[in-house]
Amino acid sequence: MAEEKEMIKISVRSLVEFIMRSGDIDNRTLAGAEKDAMLAGTRLHRKIQKAMGEGYRAEVTLKTILERCDFLLQIEGRADGIIENEDVKIIDEIKTVVRDISLIDRPVKAHLAQAKCYAYIYAIQNKLRNIKVQMTYCQIETEEIKRFVYEFGIKELEEFFEHLILQYEKWAKFQTSWKKIRNHSIQEIQFPFEYRKGQRKIAVSVYRTIQRRKKLFVQAPTGVGKTMATVFPAVKAIGESEGDKIFYLTARTITRTVAENAFSTLRKQQLKLKTITLTAKEKICFCEETNCNPEYCPYAKGHFDRVNDAVFDLITRKDAFDRETIIEQAEKFKVCPFEMALDASIWADAIICDYNYVFDPNAHLKRFFSEGTKGDYLFLIDESHNLVDRGREMYSASLYKEDVLEIKKMISVVHPKLAKSLEECNRQMLVLKKECETYQILESVSHIAIKLMHIMTQLEDVMEKIPEEKREQILEFYFQVRDFLNIYDQLDENYTIYSEMEKDGRFKIKLFCVNPSGKLNEYLMYGNSAIFFSATFLPIQYYKKLLSVENDDYAIYAESSFPEKNRQILLGTDVSTRYTMRDQNMYDKFAKYILKMVNGKKGNYMVFCPSYRLMEEICESVLQRNNKMIECIVQQQYMQEEDRENFLNAFKQKRNKSLLAFCVLGGIFSEGIDLTDDQLIGAVIVGMGLPQVCTERDILRNYFDKHGQNGFDYAYLYPGMNKVLQAAGRVIRTETDKGIILLLDDRFCENRSRAVFPREWKEYKTCRIETCGEYINTFWKRQE
């Protein structure tokens, strides 16, 4: 029986854009704005389509399947409209633009090519000898329309279409042959280690979740081996056609390295899987500044002429596209490493990247997450507790009155019409400012949004007239306005609109996404399954509420693989970080606790404090009592990468005294660092980590109170306790690690705080300064 040929699918738009691109990368135009207009122009599309009358069919799906030796190639798309009169057939392609429509004297080459593909497919299916193509351009603000009409014979269209397919065929052949090699290799791999306690439960649950196309929340203590326990079943699922591409999403660079290592470990079993790690443009750019235009950057000049060759060479030679490999390849072909990496990701089986490449409306990979696309994606979302605040940030937008006024002054001479619009917007905001003492919840800002639409359209004209030294600032303002309007169009019950007078006197209006679950879900819907996992997913219902819209998501709690006897949890009951109790006497109490901890055993310790100021006060009190057997280091604000490395290297050095490292709770050293064995034997956590009272925390509290939840817990307690759990997780990293976690705040003893404690903390002890030393000494004696 003949083997069934694989079907490769590609959209008309993707095919055209991929094959026909050429020339330079140039950030001096607002090409991105044009793309946004195309995506945001649905309303105008419908309006134009409706006005066309009888004989006009809107949103017509067209599809053709071409048979090749080893595969079938399905090319499909949706024509915006088809005019079907008795004597003539016309394919209508509608494009919305933000620039002045009078400046458009011919269709964009790729736009016309897209329409010609639709025309060919329709003509073949309807046995037409000739067909017309109409390019309809509509200005997004004025709604002015300009049309270009062409007539083509079937032979001309056939030659054009076949030429496109011929150029794409080598890529399709590669995709088909590689998939067979990949899937065969996946059948042979086994879990590379002996399963740790709790690890097998995760792996089995992940695979079953993927099979059922559901979401899974995994609470797994540090050291269980979450990365391999999620990567391995996802890879196996791909081999069983349960998915086709893995997105391993992280919030920190260090966890991307862990993911790379997991795939590398599986390759030791001859796994054939192509992986790519995406690096931020600023970190991988060859130039001192990321100024992406051909006059400044030689890699931008002619980039699109060379990039397809660079990508094909890369994917046919290498399997792991890490940062070093991407840089080497980009240098070889003289192309932008960032843009080349994005193109290479299309051909990768697993993409390791930051959250924003999937979820951020401004930075997501449009290759995978744009209207009309759908993939068999498997999302593995590491450190998912971070996604709540990251989601709120991605789906919120602000506009400052002062920025509006500054841009108005900057362009008043070269563009008085725009200056007038900006002044009108400034006055609208001034009215709101006069009504606002601290902050004010607003029912609507529709009048401001309408004015901003006019401003955004006029801004493109300014780019051609403004001096180069001012251009960057105006471009930045343009994107602020665009982001504000994009978010405004998506406002729903998960948003709160408010105005605020900030401490520095600046006045802003913010569209604040209180619950990001709905927006996150819009992107997760592009894939088959999502696995959220974290060492601090407590309480799990809080995270399910804010990260998913489903009521039937799965959740598991993986048991810790660490012996309980290796860890001592102590709760200090006679200290507090409440503002009303902060004085020198309290700082001295904290210092006494810390010194009793250090005196119990020579080694390295970390002290986590809720703020720099409190950290400095406690550190000073410790230093006043310090003997020569303690060395102190202190986290500084705005530490550079070299400073961070030096800070962590201190834990690896041998010394004859104890090391006491003061850090900020929730900062760069309280998450994502591994200090194993005797590099860290204790952590003191001062305070509950509760966020400072501020406007947005008040809004969160009120919102969740109104929606039947405990507002204080959602706005303060749970985010604070997450910082505590993350910091505590620095102590025990392997099965042989031993250490003490000292929690210093009487509020840790409250029921609602202890309700968030992990199961493995059930043997905690309460103590006072007088009894603390005894507990510490007893613990270390048991370890001898």
Side-chain angles (χ1 to χ4, degrees), residues 204-422:
V204 171
S205 298
V206 168
Y207 189 80
R208 287 176 178 169
T209 301
I210 291 171
Q211 280 186 315
R212 296 166 185 171
R213 300 191 167 219
K214 305 283 281 185
K215 298 189 189 79
L216 172 68
F217 287 78
V218 181
Q219 157 63 29
T222 301
V224 169
K226 296 184 290 296
T227 303
M228 186 60 77
T230 53
V231 165
F232 175 76
V235 170
K236 292 296 270 187
I238 282 181
E240 297 295 333
S241 299
E242 299 288 353
D244 196 52
K245 194 182 294 287
I246 296 169
F247 283 87
Y248 192 101
L249 309 178
T250 75
R252 295 171 184 262
T253 303
I254 190 167
T255 43
R256 276 163 240 168
T257 304
V258 173
E260 287 177 339
N261 292 340
F263 288 110
S264 179
T265 298
L266 293 176
R267 286 196 183 96
K268 293 176 182 177
Q269 300 183 49
Q270 305 306 310
L271 171 68
K272 300 296 182 182
L273 194 88
K274 295 194 183 292
T275 61
I276 187 167
T277 303
L278 298 181
T279 304
K281 182 187 290 187
E282 293 76 16
K283 293 185 178 180
I284 204 171
C285 180
F286 290 139
C287 303
E288 288 185 13
E289 295 181 24
T290 52
N291 193 358
C292 306
N293 70 72
E295 290 186 6
Y296 179 81
C297 175
Y299 300 92
K301 187 172 181 60
H303 166 88
F304 292 113
D305 300 327
R306 302 181 296 273
V307 70
N308 280 5
D309 290 337
V311 171
F312 195 78
D313 179 73
L314 176 67
I315 65 177
T316 52
R317 287 191 307 107
K318 299 275 190 178
D319 286 354
F321 316 147
D322 57 16
R323 178 177 177 172
E324 291 70 28
T325 301
I326 293 294
I327 288 174
E328 178 184 330
Q329 187 75 356
E331 187 66 74
K332 177 180 175 182
F333 283 84
K334 301 301 177 187
V335 294
C336 169
F338 178 73
E339 292 294 336
M340 187 198 74
L342 297 185
D343 286 335
S345 69
I346 296 172
W347 311 99
D349 304 303
I351 300 173
I352 304 168
C353 59
D354 187 86
Y355 298 151
N356 65 336
Y357 289 102
V358 171
F359 298 116
D360 192 320
N362 295 318
H364 69 259
L365 299 170
K366 291 184 173 62
R367 296 156 176 82
F368 306 109
F369 307 105
S370 58
E371 186 178 348
T373 62
K374 177 76 167 68
D376 294 329
Y377 309 142
L378 308 178
F379 299 105
L380 306 181
I381 308 169
D382 197 359
E383 299 180 320
S384 301
H385 60 275
N386 288 308
L387 191 53
V388 174
D389 283 338
R390 283 285 297 276
R392 285 178 178 143
E393 181 183 341
M394 287 187 285
Y395 304 123
S396 298
S398 299
L399 185 70
Y400 284 87
K401 176 184 177 298
E402 290 73 21
D403 292 345
V404 173
L405 198 56
E406 186 173 357
I407 298 298
K408 174 221 162 185
K409 293 175 181 176
M410 190 180 294
I411 54 84
S412 58
V413 175
V414 295
H415 204 302
K417 181 181 177 183
L418 173 56
K420 182 181 178 183
S421 295
L422 288 164

